Amino acid sequence: MTPFFEPRPPSLAQGRAWPTPEEERLKIRDISLAAEAQSKEGDTFYIITQRWWQNWLDYVNQDQLNDGLSPHSLNSADACVSKRPSNIDNKVLIYESTTSDCSAAELHDTLVEGRDYVLLPEEVWNQLYSWYGGGPTLARKVINIGLSQMELAVEVYPLHLELLLTPKGDRSTIRISKKETIRELYRRVCEIFDLDPEQIRIYDFYGQKKHALPMDLDKTLDDANIQMDQEILVEANMTNYVKNNDPVGKQSNSFLLEPSKSGLSIAGGLSATKGVSKIGNMDLSQVQNQVSPHRESNNAQESSGVTTRSATAGLTGLLNLGNTCYMNSAIQCLVHTPEFARYFREDYRGEINWQNPMGMVGELALSFGELLRKIWAAGRTPIAPRPFKTKLARFAPQFSGYNQHDSQELLAFLLDGLHEDLNRVKDKPYILSKDANGRPDEEVADEYWANHKARNDSIIVDVCQGQYKSTLVCPVCAKVSVTFDPFMYLSLPLQSTATRPLTVTIFSSDGSLLPNVCTVTIPKQGRCRDLIQALSAVCSLKPHEKLLLAEIQNHLIHLFFEDPLTSLSSIKDEDHLAAYRIPQPAKGIIFLQLIHRLEDKETVNAQTVKGWKPYGTPLVSPISCDDVTTRGDVQSMVRTMLSPLLKHREKYDVSENGISSAVEPPSESSSWTERINDATHGTGKLPLHLVDENNVCIDLSVGEVKPIKISSSSKSLLVFINWSKELLEEYDTSYLESLPEVCKNGLPTKKARTEPLSLYSCLEAFLREEPLVSEPDMWKCPQCKERRQASKKLDLWRLPKVLVIHLKRFSYNRSIKHKLDTFVNFPIYDLDITKYIANKNNSDHQLYELYALINHYGSMGSGHYTAHIKVNLSSFYNIMLLLDENRWYSFDDNHISAIGEDEVKTNAAYVLFYRRKKEDASENI
């Protein structure tokens, strides 16, 4: 048995030389490539904490220091061992346990791959474990998933089942793979309860109701639709079972069960009456669709025939299967869309495209239609949408398991999947779209729409798809490209006119100025050029100078903001920014980065080990790649950069803008002047070390005339200065120590009253012209034949019956997830989009009314989704179904309650469903 936690392997701890970081990197790379090429079902992967893995990656990538990106190779070569990661520590991933058995360790329920952990092939884990030791060891198997069962995935969370032994009443839990067989489940249960297989029968006890398992004991638990955290009933000494004649797995595997009180067979087939509701003809007998032969019902209380007043048609809740609120809220909004409710309650099977390679062979549409009919059947208690969840996971593995997901992402997949399953076009023609080339927009738009409809024609297109005009302009040749593309929903940014204060520390590169802290105010949605422009004005930047903006992390330059169009939304309040005044760059220039280090003493094995740790804020100065630069030249450059920090320069001229500049003292202070000259140009050498492109540390205090090799391919030249106690007596380094955060923590300032952000403002931000900033988005100009940072302008051209609007509350910057809780004032009635339509030939008023929305409460990782829906039925149906007309309801999983219209608008609104207003009341459900 692998120990729960093992220290570093003894062979290494006893003095054997560590592999170098580069040796470790290459070894793991080669192992990974070989393992990836041979991955198959049944392989073992190991879970390891993301934090340790990232520390190891930083450690083995020390050669990247030449690019100024790695914070983990600052020490000289003899100090590398101190930066080596300690033992692998996976304890943060598991719940505390009193047992030493690592196989019993339980993972935390909310872990996310890439954020909390990574998965390593067995060979990689074994190699790392041989170097570092630690634990606990968390092994997981590779299984096949998907419709074809040919997709490989690591089963991070095996099934967790609650075992209930009757009549004794004992309870236990078990972890077992969904790909294990029912026979294996029998074996494990007998082992846990110390029973003979001939003494027991096992039932799926989901919802406290007995469901027979498949008769074929070689079927998997996945085949039997066993779900996470459900109960399994173990009956011992059953009187209706002949022990000696039918041992498990030998002859008959049929089970004797109690008859169903509702007329449904326990196996889940049709009832004896085979009653089928025809809701369209107002036959409101209970709908009974054929379900899996291994399930009695998806409704936990259906077999009892008990209904409640709150479970009338259309007001049926969905049970939360485990973090499935994202799915439940999206489903409720779709099934309460009148066009979809009417379509799926009628005979839609004739429109299923069974052969569409882009679809799900009709299974998604059938599963959704079955669920919709159950929700709209009269007298329903809450439904467990497990068959639908199972289908969803088969076709979209990203939604498998029971982690929280984005409801809007599910909605997008569902709409697209339903469209492909219901596409009336069986054989899609190939159509080459033509550019506008000066033709009238109306002609081009109609041509694009006809081409789209020739390949895509479904109820989803009829109801939810619109068209927008996209205009691209090349910044070089002014080529204009106009296309007309379909859309299923609009994703609107939460654009605000509010400003944001940003605090940046400005450093000079020529030794003329002390570091100066500046706070400027810029638009929240501004770009780097806005920040640089504001800082330039504050510090009175000279015409021949420019500001180089950088983010500082762990006393190193993490990155330079070189692209002026970079959005400032990527800068977090807790970040630290520095701006360096440098001359306007010429060709052949790279930047010398002066990185400060302080002496650090650490006790190891009762012995004091001396080392150096990063300190302060790096300084930057340009250096030419073309000129010959000696070690002495670098000494002079560094002295110049540090000269404002000399403690004997006590007199400063402070200008009106608050920037301090060093001023020469009176000439009679000859001794002081001599000391300055000696400090800046004298023979005293600073303790400087340079890391060259081969990661070799060079002492710059010797060999003054020796030239330094500067590669033109390098972005930076890294020079380290070790601040000894003696050197600190000469310089005041306090200016370098405390770099303030971007947004200082202090007393809140009085804010001007602003109007709530309106939905119209978000729409205008979405339609605003903007450049294509990121490299993948850049446009290849058909005239220049080059990728260009073109400007892009969107305009609405054709609007659908149902307009779905997604408010982009979630942002992802450098793997950091962030949610905006901004309140958006959206109209419930009369959303007027008329003025935003570019098609001027369309004179119709584009008015929409809100009928449903998805809400998201809490943070990204641990939030909760609900839906607010307006149940709007015709009076004829109201009489039959006893529903209130034009009333808002809150759908919170299985809990449904009436709410007032004033409760609909909150800052939790995430996805809005609008329906075009028409005078014809027949459009209602």
Side-chain angles (χ1 to χ4, degrees), residues 815-845:
S815 301
I816 301 298
K817 302 176 181 179
H818 179 63
K819 180 191 174 186
L820 297 174
D821 287 316
T822 308
F823 175 77
V824 178
N825 187 18
F826 52 89
I828 295 178
Y829 304 99
D830 297 333
L831 172 67
D832 193 350
I833 313 291
T834 308
K835 71 175 184 178
Y836 301 103
I837 303 298
N839 184 5
K840 300 310 177 185
N841 289 345
N842 188 349
S843 58
D844 295 339
H845 232 45

Short mmCIF file of all heavy atoms in Angstrom, two decimals, residues 815-845:
data_model
loop_
_atom_site.label_atom_id
_atom_site.label_comp_id
_atom_site.label_asym_id
_atom_site.label_seq_id
_atom_site.Cartn_x
_atom_site.Cartn_y
_atom_site.Cartn_z
N SER A 815 -6.15 33.54 -16.32
CA SER A 815 -6.67 32.42 -15.53
C SER A 815 -7.39 32.87 -14.28
O SER A 815 -7.74 32.06 -13.43
CB SER A 815 -5.54 31.44 -15.13
OG SER A 815 -4.92 30.95 -16.29
N ILE A 816 -7.64 34.17 -14.13
CA ILE A 816 -8.40 34.68 -12.98
C ILE A 816 -9.82 34.94 -13.44
O ILE A 816 -10.06 35.65 -14.42
CB ILE A 816 -7.78 35.98 -12.42
CG1 ILE A 816 -6.33 35.72 -11.99
CG2 ILE A 816 -8.61 36.50 -11.27
CD1 ILE A 816 -6.20 34.69 -10.88
N LYS A 817 -10.77 34.35 -12.74
CA LYS A 817 -12.17 34.53 -13.10
C LYS A 817 -12.77 35.64 -12.25
O LYS A 817 -12.52 35.73 -11.06
CB LYS A 817 -12.93 33.22 -12.87
CG LYS A 817 -12.38 32.04 -13.66
CD LYS A 817 -13.12 30.76 -13.33
CE LYS A 817 -12.55 29.59 -14.09
NZ LYS A 817 -13.23 28.32 -13.74
N HIS A 818 -13.58 36.45 -12.88
CA HIS A 818 -14.15 37.59 -12.19
C HIS A 818 -15.60 37.77 -12.63
O HIS A 818 -15.95 37.52 -13.77
CB HIS A 818 -13.34 38.85 -12.52
CG HIS A 818 -13.87 40.10 -11.86
ND1 HIS A 818 -13.91 40.26 -10.49
CD2 HIS A 818 -14.39 41.24 -12.39
CE1 HIS A 818 -14.43 41.45 -10.21
NE2 HIS A 818 -14.73 42.05 -11.34
N LYS A 819 -16.44 38.17 -11.67
CA LYS A 819 -17.84 38.40 -11.99
C LYS A 819 -18.21 39.85 -11.70
O LYS A 819 -17.84 40.40 -10.66
CB LYS A 819 -18.74 37.47 -11.17
CG LYS A 819 -20.22 37.69 -11.48
CD LYS A 819 -21.13 36.97 -10.51
CE LYS A 819 -22.59 37.34 -10.80
NZ LYS A 819 -23.51 36.78 -9.78
N LEU A 820 -18.95 40.45 -12.60
CA LEU A 820 -19.46 41.81 -12.42
C LEU A 820 -20.88 41.72 -11.88
O LEU A 820 -21.75 41.10 -12.48
CB LEU A 820 -19.46 42.56 -13.76
CG LEU A 820 -18.09 42.79 -14.41
CD1 LEU A 820 -18.27 43.42 -15.78
CD2 LEU A 820 -17.22 43.68 -13.54
N ASP A 821 -21.11 42.37 -10.73
CA ASP A 821 -22.44 42.39 -10.13
C ASP A 821 -23.18 43.68 -10.46
O ASP A 821 -24.09 44.09 -9.74
CB ASP A 821 -22.32 42.23 -8.61
CG ASP A 821 -21.95 40.81 -8.22
OD1 ASP A 821 -22.53 39.87 -8.81
OD2 ASP A 821 -21.08 40.64 -7.35
N THR A 822 -22.79 44.31 -11.55
CA THR A 822 -23.41 45.57 -11.95
C THR A 822 -24.90 45.40 -12.19
O THR A 822 -25.33 44.45 -12.85
CB THR A 822 -22.74 46.10 -13.24
OG1 THR A 822 -21.33 46.12 -13.06
CG2 THR A 822 -23.26 47.48 -13.60
N PHE A 823 -25.69 46.33 -11.66
CA PHE A 823 -27.12 46.31 -11.93
C PHE A 823 -27.38 46.90 -13.31
O PHE A 823 -26.91 47.98 -13.64
CB PHE A 823 -27.89 47.12 -10.87
CG PHE A 823 -29.36 47.23 -11.17
CD1 PHE A 823 -30.21 46.17 -10.92
CD2 PHE A 823 -29.88 48.40 -11.72
CE1 PHE A 823 -31.57 46.27 -11.19
CE2 PHE A 823 -31.23 48.51 -12.00
CZ PHE A 823 -32.09 47.44 -11.73
N VAL A 824 -28.09 46.15 -14.13
CA VAL A 824 -28.46 46.61 -15.47
C VAL A 824 -29.96 46.87 -15.49
O VAL A 824 -30.76 45.98 -15.18
CB VAL A 824 -28.09 45.56 -16.54
CG1 VAL A 824 -28.51 46.05 -17.92
CG2 VAL A 824 -26.59 45.28 -16.52
N ASN A 825 -30.32 48.07 -15.84
CA ASN A 825 -31.73 48.44 -15.90
C ASN A 825 -32.28 48.04 -17.27
O ASN A 825 -32.04 48.70 -18.27
CB ASN A 825 -31.89 49.94 -15.67
CG ASN A 825 -33.35 50.35 -15.57
OD1 ASN A 825 -34.22 49.50 -15.34
ND2 ASN A 825 -33.62 51.63 -15.72
N PHE A 826 -33.03 46.95 -17.29
CA PHE A 826 -33.58 46.44 -18.55
C PHE A 826 -35.11 46.58 -18.51
O PHE A 826 -35.74 46.36 -17.47
CB PHE A 826 -33.19 44.97 -18.77
CG PHE A 826 -33.49 44.07 -17.61
CD1 PHE A 826 -34.72 43.42 -17.50
CD2 PHE A 826 -32.54 43.85 -16.63
CE1 PHE A 826 -34.98 42.58 -16.44
CE2 PHE A 826 -32.80 43.01 -15.56
CZ PHE A 826 -34.03 42.38 -15.46
N PRO A 827 -35.70 46.97 -19.64
CA PRO A 827 -37.16 47.12 -19.66
C PRO A 827 -37.87 45.78 -19.66
O PRO A 827 -37.42 44.82 -20.29
CB PRO A 827 -37.42 47.89 -20.95
CG PRO A 827 -36.25 47.59 -21.82
CD PRO A 827 -35.08 47.36 -20.92
N ILE A 828 -38.97 45.71 -18.94
CA ILE A 828 -39.82 44.52 -18.98
C ILE A 828 -40.77 44.62 -20.15
O ILE A 828 -41.02 43.64 -20.85
CB ILE A 828 -40.58 44.36 -17.64
CG1 ILE A 828 -39.57 44.10 -16.51
CG2 ILE A 828 -41.59 43.22 -17.73
CD1 ILE A 828 -40.21 43.97 -15.16
N TYR A 829 -41.30 45.80 -20.37
CA TYR A 829 -42.18 46.04 -21.51
C TYR A 829 -41.48 46.99 -22.48
O TYR A 829 -40.67 47.83 -22.09
CB TYR A 829 -43.50 46.67 -21.07
CG TYR A 829 -44.24 45.85 -20.03
CD1 TYR A 829 -44.16 46.19 -18.68
CD2 TYR A 829 -45.03 44.76 -20.38
CE1 TYR A 829 -44.83 45.45 -17.71
CE2 TYR A 829 -45.71 44.02 -19.43
CZ TYR A 829 -45.60 44.37 -18.09
OH TYR A 829 -46.27 43.63 -17.14
N ASP A 830 -41.83 46.87 -23.74
CA ASP A 830 -41.43 47.85 -24.76
C ASP A 830 -39.92 48.07 -24.85
O ASP A 830 -39.43 49.21 -24.77
CB ASP A 830 -42.14 49.19 -24.51
CG ASP A 830 -43.64 49.06 -24.64
OD1 ASP A 830 -44.10 48.17 -25.37
OD2 ASP A 830 -44.36 49.85 -23.98
N LEU A 831 -39.17 46.98 -24.98
CA LEU A 831 -37.76 47.12 -25.37
C LEU A 831 -37.76 47.51 -26.84
O LEU A 831 -38.12 46.72 -27.71
CB LEU A 831 -37.02 45.80 -25.14
CG LEU A 831 -35.58 45.76 -25.69
CD1 LEU A 831 -34.68 46.71 -24.92
CD2 LEU A 831 -35.02 44.34 -25.64
N ASP A 832 -37.36 48.73 -27.12
CA ASP A 832 -37.44 49.28 -28.48
C ASP A 832 -36.06 49.22 -29.14
O ASP A 832 -35.15 49.96 -28.78
CB ASP A 832 -37.95 50.71 -28.43
CG ASP A 832 -38.35 51.22 -29.81
OD1 ASP A 832 -38.07 50.54 -30.81
OD2 ASP A 832 -38.97 52.31 -29.88
N ILE A 833 -35.92 48.34 -30.14
CA ILE A 833 -34.64 48.17 -30.84
C ILE A 833 -34.66 48.87 -32.19
O ILE A 833 -33.72 48.77 -32.96
CB ILE A 833 -34.35 46.66 -31.04
CG1 ILE A 833 -34.59 45.89 -29.76
CG2 ILE A 833 -32.91 46.42 -31.46
CD1 ILE A 833 -33.62 46.17 -28.67
N THR A 834 -35.73 49.60 -32.49
CA THR A 834 -35.94 50.14 -33.84
C THR A 834 -34.76 50.96 -34.33
O THR A 834 -34.28 50.76 -35.46
CB THR A 834 -37.21 51.00 -33.86
OG1 THR A 834 -38.30 50.24 -33.32
CG2 THR A 834 -37.54 51.43 -35.28
N LYS A 835 -34.25 51.85 -33.49
CA LYS A 835 -33.20 52.76 -33.96
C LYS A 835 -31.85 52.08 -34.17
O LYS A 835 -30.93 52.66 -34.75
CB LYS A 835 -33.05 53.93 -32.99
CG LYS A 835 -32.42 53.59 -31.66
CD LYS A 835 -32.22 54.87 -30.85
CE LYS A 835 -31.51 54.57 -29.53
NZ LYS A 835 -31.27 55.83 -28.77
N TYR A 836 -31.73 50.85 -33.69
CA TYR A 836 -30.47 50.14 -33.85
C TYR A 836 -30.47 49.24 -35.09
O TYR A 836 -29.48 48.55 -35.35
CB TYR A 836 -30.19 49.29 -32.60
CG TYR A 836 -30.11 50.11 -31.34
CD1 TYR A 836 -31.17 50.14 -30.42
CD2 TYR A 836 -28.99 50.88 -31.06
CE1 TYR A 836 -31.10 50.87 -29.26
CE2 TYR A 836 -28.91 51.65 -29.90
CZ TYR A 836 -29.98 51.64 -29.01
OH TYR A 836 -29.91 52.39 -27.87
N ILE A 837 -31.57 49.24 -35.84
CA ILE A 837 -31.66 48.42 -37.05
C ILE A 837 -31.05 49.18 -38.22
O ILE A 837 -31.49 50.30 -38.54
CB ILE A 837 -33.12 48.04 -37.35
CG1 ILE A 837 -33.73 47.30 -36.17
CG2 ILE A 837 -33.19 47.18 -38.61
CD1 ILE A 837 -33.04 46.00 -35.85
N ALA A 838 -30.06 48.58 -38.86
CA ALA A 838 -29.40 49.25 -39.98
C ALA A 838 -30.22 49.16 -41.26
O ALA A 838 -30.02 49.95 -42.19
CB ALA A 838 -28.02 48.64 -40.20
N ASN A 839 -31.14 48.21 -41.33
CA ASN A 839 -31.98 48.04 -42.51
C ASN A 839 -33.09 49.09 -42.50
O ASN A 839 -34.12 48.94 -41.85
CB ASN A 839 -32.59 46.64 -42.52
CG ASN A 839 -33.40 46.37 -43.77
OD1 ASN A 839 -33.45 47.19 -44.70
ND2 ASN A 839 -34.04 45.21 -43.80
N LYS A 840 -32.89 50.16 -43.18
CA LYS A 840 -33.83 51.28 -43.17
C LYS A 840 -35.10 50.98 -43.96
O LYS A 840 -36.08 51.71 -43.86
CB LYS A 840 -33.16 52.55 -43.73
CG LYS A 840 -31.94 52.98 -42.91
CD LYS A 840 -32.24 53.06 -41.42
CE LYS A 840 -31.01 53.41 -40.59
NZ LYS A 840 -31.28 53.38 -39.14
N ASN A 841 -35.07 49.93 -44.79
CA ASN A 841 -36.29 49.55 -45.50
C ASN A 841 -37.29 48.85 -44.59
O ASN A 841 -38.45 48.67 -44.95
CB ASN A 841 -35.95 48.62 -46.67
CG ASN A 841 -35.23 49.36 -47.79
OD1 ASN A 841 -35.23 50.59 -47.82
ND2 ASN A 841 -34.61 48.63 -48.70
N ASN A 842 -36.83 48.46 -43.41
CA ASN A 842 -37.72 47.83 -42.44
C ASN A 842 -38.32 48.92 -41.57
O ASN A 842 -37.69 49.45 -40.65
CB ASN A 842 -36.93 46.83 -41.58
CG ASN A 842 -37.82 46.01 -40.68
OD1 ASN A 842 -39.01 46.32 -40.52
ND2 ASN A 842 -37.26 44.99 -40.07
N SER A 843 -39.56 49.26 -41.86
CA SER A 843 -40.23 50.36 -41.15
C SER A 843 -41.00 49.89 -39.93
O SER A 843 -41.59 50.71 -39.22
CB SER A 843 -41.17 51.10 -42.11
OG SER A 843 -42.14 50.19 -42.63
N ASP A 844 -41.03 48.58 -39.67
CA ASP A 844 -41.78 48.06 -38.52
C ASP A 844 -41.11 48.47 -37.22
O ASP A 844 -39.89 48.55 -37.11
CB ASP A 844 -41.86 46.53 -38.59
CG ASP A 844 -42.66 46.06 -39.79
OD1 ASP A 844 -43.46 46.87 -40.31
OD2 ASP A 844 -42.46 44.91 -40.22
N HIS A 845 -41.97 48.71 -36.22
CA HIS A 845 -41.47 49.01 -34.89
C HIS A 845 -40.98 47.72 -34.24
O HIS A 845 -41.74 46.76 -34.15
CB HIS A 845 -42.59 49.65 -34.05
CG HIS A 845 -42.17 50.93 -33.42
ND1 HIS A 845 -41.48 51.90 -34.10
CD2 HIS A 845 -42.33 51.41 -32.15
CE1 HIS A 845 -41.25 52.93 -33.30
NE2 HIS A 845 -41.75 52.65 -32.11
#
